[in-house]
Amino acid sequence: MTRTFLILLAMLLLSREALANVLQNIRIHEGPDHVRVVFDTTEAVIYELSTLNAPERVVVDFVNLKPVAGLDTELVGASRERINSLRTAEEGGRYRVVLEMKSRHTPKDFTLKPIPPYGHRLVIDLFAGEGARSQVPVQPMPSGERDVIIAIDAGHGGDDPGAIAANRAYEKRVVLEIANRVATEVGNLRGFKPFLVRKGDYYVPLRDRVRIAREARADLFVSIHADAFTTASAGGASVYTLSDRGATSEMARWLADKENKSDLIGGVGEVTLNDKDPVLRSVLLDLAMDGNRSASLDAGKAVLSALGKTTRLHKHTVEQAGFAVLKAPDIPSLLVETGFLSNPAEARRLSTRDHQEKIARAITRGIQQYMENAPPPGTLLARRLAADPSRQPGTRYTIMRGDTLSHIATRFGVSREKIRQANGLKGDVIRVGQVLVIPAG
């Protein structure tokens, strides 16, 4: 009888242990304005969040949670820029995690349902000071002549690794390397200034990437990626711009859907846009973006042409789809897929410094060509090009690769119709090497 009771008690204890939610990992990412702490669990968590002062602490009490065997919380909680330590304790059926902060931080917490490659997650973002979120200071518009500002966005980051190659190359790391190299190349151009949207291994929500670029007064937004497809044979670099009518191909649609889900992987709370009348907001946005889509397409053609001289292209035309990260209403924006990490040969190349530098130089050449074709008013670049005798009206101009009649008209300050009339053109079709007479404006 006693033996049977002991067996039943042991079975009951084992079943209760098996039912306990398991804490599989704790991950910490430090961004420029906050710290993100992520708890990976096997099930949805029940928890209480609180803060304590003197010293500043953030306390999370979990109900029915057990750490996985071998979880080294001391290593996870090693001293960082904003965190002194992380410690844990089990007491009264609760599992407590205490984050000792170096200064006061305001927590914002939310849970996320499973989405590959992650399971259930509790995310706690800790913002410095009293505010729920620190804001990137808006850069004042420079007075007089200024540099052309290029916003360079390395895709993914932090909790969102992006594509993962068979050689364990992570997209978030590859594209950050390329973005840094593009920033260096752009910074070496006279009259240009680079601005990195993401500078480290942390996640930036898609809408925040657009916001950050706008607050930096960027003249062009370039988002850099190296994605994966369902087959290893897919390969080559691509350039995408925002579409208002749907995707131009199945690949464009598939990639846009995949990239737009990054917020679910990287982890953001619900976003609402209820502060404006929806009809008015839609009309104003469409008006602003009509001209912006054309400029984005021109910039995309220039970058794609430059990439085509350096690496294999997936398609030789700029594709379009509904990428959320390209929805800045007043900044020409493109998304550059530098290659496919699902392609073993491309994954190996994209992991090398030499190929990353080649890609970065090609992207920069495309950016430079686009900006020289249509320099933003009030910039040092516009003044320098305006003083170039070869660009003055009343001269002859030889068509180069990537030129369009719209580009040329903008560059010389005359209408396309006047150029067509001066050269007997019936449409906007021009060819490389063709010499055009540029009439006076």
Side-chain angles (χ1 to χ4, degrees), residues 179-190 192 194 357 360-362 364-365:
N180 284 329
R181 298 182 195 284
V182 172
T184 299
E185 294 288 334
V186 168
N188 290 333
L189 296 177
R190 181 184 172 193
F192 285 76
E357 288 179 345
R361 286 195 292 269
T364 304
R365 285 198 303 271

Side-chain angles (χ1 to χ4, degrees), residues 62-111:
F62 294 95
V63 177
N64 195 33
L65 184 71
K66 296 285 184 182
V68 69
L71 179 61
D72 190 346
T73 55
E74 289 187 8
L75 179 62
V76 172
S79 180
R80 300 165 187 261
E81 184 178 341
R82 296 187 178 91
I83 299 175
N84 274 328
S85 65
L86 179 150
R87 58 182 184 271
T88 62
E90 294 184 66
E91 184 178 348
R94 293 198 166 210
Y95 184 75
R96 169 168 284 193
V97 177
V98 179
L99 285 157
E100 186 173 313
M101 311 300 295
K102 294 183 178 179
S103 62
R104 179 169 297 183
H105 282 67
T106 302
K108 174 185 176 184
D109 58 299
F110 54 93
T111 58

